[in-house]
Amino acid sequence: MTTLFILNDPAYGISGADVTPANGAGGRGLATDLRQAPLLAALSPAQLARLLQRASQVRLAAGQMLFRQEEPAERFYFVRSGQVRLFRLSSDGGEKIIELIRAGQTFAEALLFMGTGRYPVCAAALEETELVSIDGADFVAMLRESPETCFALLGDLSRRLHAMIAEIDSLTLLSAQGRVARWLLRNSEPERATLKLDVPKTVLASRLSIQPETWSRVTRRLIDKGVIAVASEWIEIRDREALQDYADEL
């Protein structure tokens, strides 16, 4: 398969993103992966084949930018592996993490219907990441032909909206300790007492709208109280009931 290196092309990303056609070798496995996303799970085999015909695979190194805010928004993305951080830049150059996108998720699809034509955030890889870049205009044309796909999109966007509303409530109503506790509960499974901290603490702190030293101070307090234990990047939840009490703390 021929690899294309596209420089400074907003349709594919910037800084020499590694881009290959999506309908080449391994296309069948890619099609299976795409169906992990609720938005794409409802596509018929013919629709999925059409999507892959116009899609590309993009490989980014850790820290590499995919697009910047205010660049033309012509495509949306599916994360096949790795993680992407979406963030906005402040006037002083600081970053505010808006969302962390993991494997199996799509992002930037809502922009197809906003009419702005510009990305409102920046996107960059947190680690080595593989994405599928999807042609936005052709996907909208497909939606016009398929009410079922439209409803799937509405359902996916509704779930994202409810998640964002819950996030706003968390950031505006909860204390720093409550935000950390709620994040630990949300990212752990009740039947498993451990979770892996797979993003840098600075990124996670920005996502929770706290300072990195606040994250360290809160986790130290939870450790001292016997609620959690920390070993390298692993966090063990030892008292889920107490953690829930902290998660409800205003």
Side-chain angles (χ1 to χ4, degrees):
M1 181 185 299
T2 301
T3 299
L4 307 176
F5 292 93
I6 308 221
L7 297 176
N8 300 318
D9 186 341
Y12 294 98
I14 60 174
S15 303
D18 181 354
V19 181
T20 60
N23 62 342
R28 181 172 298 179
L30 179 55
T32 300
D33 289 347
L34 286 170
R35 291 198 181 278
Q36 297 175 48
L39 172 61
L40 306 176
L43 295 181
S44 68
Q47 289 173 322
L48 197 57
R50 172 175 167 177
L51 181 149
L52 286 170
Q53 191 66 35
R54 294 174 175 267
S56 299
Q57 294 186 80
V58 181
R59 293 175 179 84
L60 300 176
Q64 188 173 4
M65 294 288 294
L66 177 65
F67 56 75
R68 298 184 187 274
Q69 62 194 61
E70 300 306 322
E71 285 187 346
E74 299 175 355
R75 307 180 78 83
F76 70 99
Y77 298 88
F78 169 83
V79 180
R80 193 177 189 190
S81 64
Q83 290 190 78
V84 171
R85 77 182 196 277
L86 304 182
F87 61 97
R88 285 186 62 84
L89 294 173
S90 61
S91 57
D92 62 0
E95 292 185 9
K96 172 63 181 83
I97 305 294
I98 303 299
E99 194 170 3
L100 299 177
I101 309 296
R102 302 175 186 274
Q105 296 181 306
T106 55
F107 63 97
E109 64 271 32
L111 300 176
L112 303 177
F113 311 98
M114 292 176 62
T116 60
R118 301 278 173 179
Y119 292 115
V121 297
C122 301
L126 268 174
E127 57 192 273
E128 187 174 329
T129 298
E130 181 179 347
L131 309 111
V132 180
S133 171
I134 299 170
D135 186 315
D138 190 62
F139 192 80
V140 170
M142 235 176 2
L143 290 179
R144 293 193 178 101
E145 302 166 4
S146 173
E148 292 82 5
T149 309
C150 286
F151 280 113
L153 175 65
L154 287 173
D156 186 51
L157 294 181
S158 295
R159 283 189 290 271
R160 296 277 288 274
L161 176 61
H162 283 291
M164 292 301 290
I165 291 173
E167 184 67 24
I168 291 171
D169 283 344
S170 174
L171 295 179
T172 56
L173 298 178
L174 295 179
S175 65
Q177 186 165 262
R179 296 175 202 177
V180 172
R182 184 165 293 188
W183 184 90
L184 291 171
L185 288 170
R186 189 169 59 242
N187 288 274
S188 62
E189 301 174 9
E191 62 274 12
R192 296 186 63 183
T194 59
L195 69 148
K196 186 176 182 181
L197 193 64
D198 57 356
V199 296
K201 292 179 182 178
T202 52
V203 171
L204 187 51
S206 176
R207 181 73 181 91
L208 298 177
S209 292
I210 60 177
Q211 296 299 316
E213 55 268 26
T214 303
W215 167 274
S216 298
R217 188 166 56 249
V218 169
T219 53
R220 169 50 58 188
R221 188 180 303 133
L222 294 175
I223 291 170
D224 292 343
K225 291 180 178 294
V227 178
I228 64 172
V230 177
S232 186
E233 73 271 26
W234 289 95
I235 298 177
E236 178 187 359
I237 298 176
R238 294 186 167 179
D239 190 338
R240 184 170 289 270
E241 185 176 339
L243 192 61
Q244 184 62 62
D245 290 339
Y246 287 121
D248 295 332
E249 180 182 276
L250 299 181

